[in-house]
Structure formats: structure tokens, C-alpha cells
Amino acid sequence: NINREFRELDVPTDVLSFPMVDYEAPADYGILESDDALAMYFNPESGELLLGDIVISVERAFEQAENYGHSIKREICFLTAHSMLHLLGYDHMEDEERIVMEKKQEEILNALGIKRDC
């Protein structure tokens, strides 16, 4: 339902990202240094940066974990890493972007010790 409402795609999906920051380039934090950034992107009570929201379909995650032959933990970690990269301005619509994003996903999962057989 969320995919249909926000992306006008009437198909199930595994994860959706709703970034709050409009990066000019992936992970280019220069935009956060503007005078308006404090009001737009930071929680006024805590001062924490608000990157956006992530919605993971646990049902799809279980299906994909089974289809790919790895654990639900690995699948949820992958979807979280993937979505966090979107919140940081990365995308995978073009091949060049996809290659960068896939490399970063693997780096994140490897740093956390999350392997395909986990």
C-alpha cells in the first residue's frame, strides 16, 4: 500500500526510504551547514540529524532470505544498509550509481560481519 501511495507502483516491495535531506551529491553534507539546515534537518529538542524514514516489509524480507538462501538477520541488515544509503543520497538508477551503492552495501555488511551465509 505504501509503495502504491508514494511511488504509484502497485507491486510489493521489500524496503522504502523517505529521505529528509536533499543532498546535491551522495553524502555531501555541505547542505547541512546552511542557515536553514538547523530548522529543516535537525531535531529541535535533541539536536540530532533527521535523515528520514525507512519502511521494511518483514514479510518480503522472510521470502527473500529464503529465496537467497541466507538468514533473516542478513536480509534485514542488507535492507537496512541499502535504505540508509538512500537516506544519505545514494541511488542505483544508473549503472555507475548502482556499482557505487553495491560496493558500499558490501563494505557495510562486511564491517558488521554480516556474510551471505549468516
Side-chain angles (χ1 to χ4, degrees):
N1 291 336
I2 297 170
N3 204 25
R4 181 175 52 248
E5 181 178 342
F6 288 94
R7 298 181 63 218
E8 299 179 0
L9 296 173
D10 194 14
V11 295
T13 190
D14 51 6
V15 64
L16 291 168
S17 307
F18 298 95
M20 296 218 18
V21 180
D22 296 318
Y23 297 96
E24 290 188 25
D28 177 4
Y29 303 110
I31 192 169
L32 300 174
E33 297 171 4
S34 72
D35 292 336
D36 295 331
L38 191 59
M40 292 175 58
Y41 304 124
F42 292 86
N43 181 312
E45 294 176 15
S46 67
E48 294 174 327
L49 173 61
L50 302 172
L51 293 175
D53 295 310
I54 296 172
V55 179
I56 295 175
S57 169
V58 175
E59 180 181 345
R60 295 279 296 163
F62 270 103
E63 291 172 10
Q64 289 174 179
E66 184 175 324
N67 290 342
Y68 296 133
H70 54 243
S71 70
I72 186 64
K73 173 184 175 181
R74 197 273 179 198
E75 187 64 19
I76 294 288
C77 288
F78 169 81
L79 294 173
T80 302
H82 179 89
S83 199
M84 284 299 300
L85 288 169
H86 279 307
L87 295 186
L88 294 171
Y90 291 90
D91 208 345
H92 48 80
M93 298 305 287
E94 304 293 329
D95 277 342
E96 185 177 303
E97 296 172 327
R98 179 186 53 75
I99 291 166
V100 169
M101 195 164 168
E102 286 176 355
K103 182 178 183 223
K104 291 199 170 290
Q105 288 168 173
E106 282 302 313
E107 289 171 358
I108 292 166
L109 295 173
N110 287 339
L112 295 172
I114 307 294
K115 307 292 182 203
R116 285 201 177 268
D117 57 357
C118 287

